[in-house]
Amino acid sequence: MRRTQGGYGYQPVPTNNGMNHNDMLETENEQMSEDLKRKIGALKNISIEIGNEVKYHNALLRDFDDDIDKTDGFLKSNMKRVMRLGKGGHRSYWCYMFLFALFVFFLLYIILAFR
């Protein structure tokens, strides 16, 4: 195997307007670091907004949970009253309920008949 004459074909980076290679790399690094700072600032703002939204929704969920607990207690107490009414043997209440339902149906019949 023979090697080609002239080495590996390496050519130095051309310089622009009298700037050497190190100055160009330094300028590029500064631009990239400024871009990175802007992106980090944007991510910081986004994460702060996400944190605020999480706190707000957490408070809403806590309030919702409290409302559900209150409603659950209200429904349980009403169901206990209904069960006590049903098991108590208060036949007079059932009779009043039946008479009230008959009155409502009779009233509806009269309204619809004379319409």
Side-chain angles (χ1 to χ4, degrees), residues 51-99:
N52 291 338
E53 283 290 319
V54 166
K55 288 177 186 174
Y56 174 72
H57 285 106
N58 195 15
L60 285 178
L61 285 173
R62 219 176 302 119
D63 292 343
F64 183 69
D65 187 44
D66 292 342
D67 291 343
I68 293 294
D69 288 341
K70 289 177 188 175
T71 305
D72 184 49
F74 180 72
L75 286 175
K76 283 182 182 178
S77 66
N78 282 338
M79 286 303 294
K80 285 180 184 177
R81 289 179 189 162
V82 168
M83 294 303 288
R84 193 173 20 169
L85 181 67
K87 289 182 181 179
H90 302 283
R91 294 186 190 270
S92 61
Y93 291 128
W94 288 108
C95 182
Y96 293 141
M97 183 72 79
F98 178 72
L99 289 174

Side-chain angles (χ1 to χ4, degrees), residues 100-114:
F100 177 74
L102 262 163
F103 174 73
V104 169
F105 286 129
F106 180 71
L107 190 64
L108 286 173
Y109 173 75
I110 291 174
I111 289 173
L112 291 175
F114 291 111

Side-chain angles (χ1 to χ4, degrees), residues 25-62:
L25 289 177
E26 186 68 29
T27 305
E28 186 179 344
N29 282 342
E30 287 176 8
Q31 283 179 332
M32 292 173 78
S33 66
E34 289 298 320
D35 288 342
L36 187 59
K37 284 180 187 177
R38 281 196 308 273
K39 289 177 183 178
I40 288 172
L43 285 174
K44 179 182 175 184
N45 290 335
I46 290 171
S47 64
I48 289 171
E49 288 297 320
I50 288 172
N52 291 338
E53 283 290 319
V54 166
K55 288 177 186 174
Y56 174 72
H57 285 106
N58 195 15
L60 285 178
L61 285 173
R62 219 176 302 119

